[in-house]
């Protein structure tokens, strides 16, 4: 057994007493956690279930606060004791990207089994994971730095120097359930390339994708003690982000949790992506057919559990009835069903509890005067794609991120008033504008306080290389590989004083 595959029996239990160990092996996973350079095989008490039918996918190790303390200490020692050159880090990420591509069918099955994604959506996520690792590997030049301009000031006479970017230290990476592998790659790819050590806390409901990617990184040559993976609850998560040895926290999730983390972290580096209440504006001269198709795809992909999902649609009154008919028609054509079926468009939400929450938000809006044109029903963890009209501004579904398969459509007459309405939210992640007029497009870009404004496209688009994040309550800083490499490193000046 290689160094990276050593096994930790955290309570010295014999192998036969580890429930769930066999299911992990069937998934190709060496253990249910990874701490201090060792795979953890017992006890495996945290059950990972398929939200589609509640069946057990596998069981993993549930980390404690003492595990967090040990993990942080060990990855920090790894930074001091194990030299890992930039070229070696680049090559590991390149090999990992290749392994992800080679093992795509297995990885897609893991993503789909533990989460909400259909097998088609999971396959796309695996491809993006490989892309994110590839881009990370090719970002090494961002760490090179530059010379310092001492000759530009009299005070610099006799001096020469440069700066280079160096790692921050230990990064706490906390990832959500909706993109359980690619969002891990977006944190660990740039973080490792920049030379950091990482303690990863994936969502407790979808830890298997993170463990699978960690195993691939180890097989690609990552030093065994450079990263830990802990499936853990709130107490252990709080211990992780509040640990003074953690130099920075990278978090993707909701703003309430983001606020709690910020209070614990204090005056340290924070990188957060906190979601959105994304809008699409369809002007009088917009391409209605293209807009309708994009809105349906953007609102209901991954059962609406996507920070870029389309939630609000504002259509010029001259196009409103046609647009509503097209959106309703295309929504009704979506296939709701098993994630395993390649013909399925919309699978379950991550849990029945979340489906009930979405149902309650829709019921609240309907009680306030809204009308469901289609959808509006739930079966277990499934919630049917729902199109609403006449939603009151007081409804949560108007003001907050629903994170479910619901979109509302509203007519407008005045462009500036519509732009003001779109911007009148605590969120500012992305927005889409459909228009044939460059003047209108640029006017919307100037007026909207968003991380991205997409012209003739919906909010539901990004490439993994672009700066990604939002304004206002949608986040702090930017992800996207290049931006994350910069956020997870810092400049270090070297100044030489010429003597004589």
């Amino acid at each position: 057994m290689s160094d990276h595959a050593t096994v930790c029996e955290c309570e010295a239990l014999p192998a036969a007493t580890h429930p769930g160990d066999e299911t992990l092996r069937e998934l190709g996973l060496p253990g249910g956690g990874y701490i201090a350079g060792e795979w953890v095989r017992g006890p495996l008490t945290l059950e990972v279930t398929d939200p589609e039918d509640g069946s057990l996918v596998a069981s993993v190790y549930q980390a404690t606060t003492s595990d967090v303390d040990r993990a942080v200490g060990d990855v920090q020692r790894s930074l001091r004791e194990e030299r890992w050159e930039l070229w070696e880090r680049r090559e590991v990420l390149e090999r990992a990207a290749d392994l992800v591509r080679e093992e795509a069918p297995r990885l897609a099955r893991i993503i789909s089994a533990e989460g909400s994604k259909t097998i088609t959506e999971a396959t796309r996520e695996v491809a993006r994971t490989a892309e994110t690792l590839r881009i990370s590997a090719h970002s090494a030049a961002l760490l090179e730095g530059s010379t310092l301009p001492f000759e530009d000031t009299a005070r610099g006479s006799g001096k020469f120097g440069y700066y280079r970017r160096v790692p921050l230290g230990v990064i706490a990476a906390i990832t959500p359930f909706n993109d359980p592998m690619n969002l891990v790659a977006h944190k660990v790819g740039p973080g490792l390339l920049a030379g950091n050590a990482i303690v990863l806390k994936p969502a407790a409901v979808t830890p298997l994708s993170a463990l699978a990617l960690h195993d691939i990184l180890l097989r690609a040559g990552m030093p065994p003690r450079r990263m830990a993976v802990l499936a853990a609850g709130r107490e252990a998560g709080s211990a992780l982000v509040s640990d003074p040895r953690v130099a920075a926290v990278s978090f993707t999730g909701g703003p309430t949790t983001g606020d709690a983390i910020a209070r614990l972290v204090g005056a340290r580096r924070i990188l957060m992506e906190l979601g959105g209440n994304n809008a699409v504006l369809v002007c009088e001269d917009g391409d209605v057919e293209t807009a309708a198709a994009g809105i349906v795809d953007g609102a209901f992909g991954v059962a609406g559990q996507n920070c870029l999902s389309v939630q609000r649609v504002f259509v010029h009154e001259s196009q409103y009835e046609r647009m509503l008919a097209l959106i309703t028609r295309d929504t009704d054509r979506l296939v709701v069903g098993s994630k395993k079926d390649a013909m399925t468009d919309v699978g379950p939400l991550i849990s029945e509890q979340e489906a009930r929450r979405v149902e309650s938000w829709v019921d609240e809006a309907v009680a306030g005067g809204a009308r469901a044109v289609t959808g509006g029903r739930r079966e277990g963890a499934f919630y049917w794609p729902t199109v609403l009209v006449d939603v009151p501004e007081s409804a949560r579904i108007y003001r907050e991120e629903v994170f479910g398969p619901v979109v509302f459509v509203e007519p407008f007459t005045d462009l500036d008033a519509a732009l003001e309405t779109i911007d009148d939210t605590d969120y500012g992640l992305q927005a889409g504008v459909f228009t044939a007029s460059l003047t209108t497009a640029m006017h919307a870009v100037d007026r909207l306080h968003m991380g991205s404004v997409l012209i003739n496209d919906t909010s539901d688009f990004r490439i993994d290389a672009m700066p990604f994040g939002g304004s206002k309550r949608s986040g702090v800083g930017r992800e996207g590989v290049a931006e994350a490499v910069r956020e997870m490193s810092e400049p270090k000046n070297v100044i030489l004083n010429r003597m004589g």
Side-chain angles (χ1 to χ4, degrees), residues 361-373 387-393 395 397-398 408:
W361 283 32
V362 172
D363 289 347
E364 175 197 71
V366 170
R371 177 170 60 90
V373 179
V387 180
L388 299 175
V389 295
D390 302 326
V391 174
E393 291 188 22
I397 221 158
Y398 200 106
F408 72 80

Side-chain angles (χ1 to χ4, degrees), residues 65 68-69 72 170-174 199 201 234-250 260-270:
T65 55
V68 169
D69 178 69
V72 173
V170 177
I171 306 291
I174 303 174
V199 178
K201 179 190 170 303
R234 182 174 299 177
E235 184 179 3
S238 296
L240 173 60
V241 299
S242 61
D243 192 308
R245 295 168 293 181
V246 170
V249 174
S250 179
I261 289 173
R263 288 191 291 268
L264 291 169
V265 171
R268 283 179 287 162
R269 188 80 58 94
I270 301 178

Side-chain angles (χ1 to χ4, degrees), residues 322-337:
R322 184 179 174 215
M323 174 65 78
L324 181 60
L326 289 171
I327 291 174
T328 303
R329 180 201 68 186
D330 290 352
T331 301
D332 286 340
R333 290 174 175 173
L334 295 174
V335 176
V336 179

Side-chain angles (χ1 to χ4, degrees), residues 26-193:
E26 290 172 354
L27 295 170
L29 300 177
Y34 192 89
I35 305 171
E38 298 180 332
W39 283 104
V40 183
R41 285 185 53 192
L44 305 178
T45 58
L46 180 60
E47 292 188 344
V48 181
T49 58
D50 187 332
E52 182 172 312
D53 56 12
S55 62
L56 179 68
V57 179
S59 297
V60 300
Y61 179 71
Q62 184 161 13
T64 65
T65 55
S66 62
D67 292 319
V68 169
D69 178 69
R70 189 160 66 98
V72 173
D74 190 72
V75 298
Q76 186 183 54
R77 285 190 294 274
S78 172
L79 284 173
R80 294 196 304 265
E81 298 169 1
E82 300 176 336
R83 190 168 183 84
W84 194 23
E85 301 289 356
L86 176 57
W87 67 267
E88 295 175 301
R89 305 196 298 266
R90 173 181 55 76
E91 288 191 351
V92 164
L93 292 170
E94 288 172 343
R95 285 194 292 269
D98 290 340
L99 287 171
V100 168
R101 293 187 194 94
E102 291 169 12
E103 301 177 23
R106 177 181 72 92
L107 298 175
R109 286 194 297 272
I110 291 173
I111 291 170
S112 184
E114 68 175 346
S116 295
K117 289 193 170 182
T118 66
I119 192 64
T120 301
E121 292 168 333
T123 300
R124 286 199 293 263
E125 181 174 351
V126 173
R128 286 188 60 190
T129 300
E131 178 80 350
T132 299
L133 294 173
R134 181 189 67 80
I135 298 168
S136 297
H138 292 179
S139 298
L142 295 172
L143 301 170
E144 289 179 355
S146 180
T147 56
L148 299 170
F150 287 110
E151 294 183 0
D152 195 38
T153 173
R155 295 174 55 247
S157 178
K159 290 182 170 57
F160 168 79
Y162 61 92
Y163 79 87
R164 60 191 177 95
R165 300 197 70 87
V166 298
L168 299 177
V170 177
I171 306 291
I174 303 174
T175 56
F177 70 83
N178 56 313
D179 284 305
M181 187 171 289
N182 191 40
L183 287 180
V184 170
H186 265 287
K187 297 184 188 305
V188 305
L192 292 174
L193 181 84

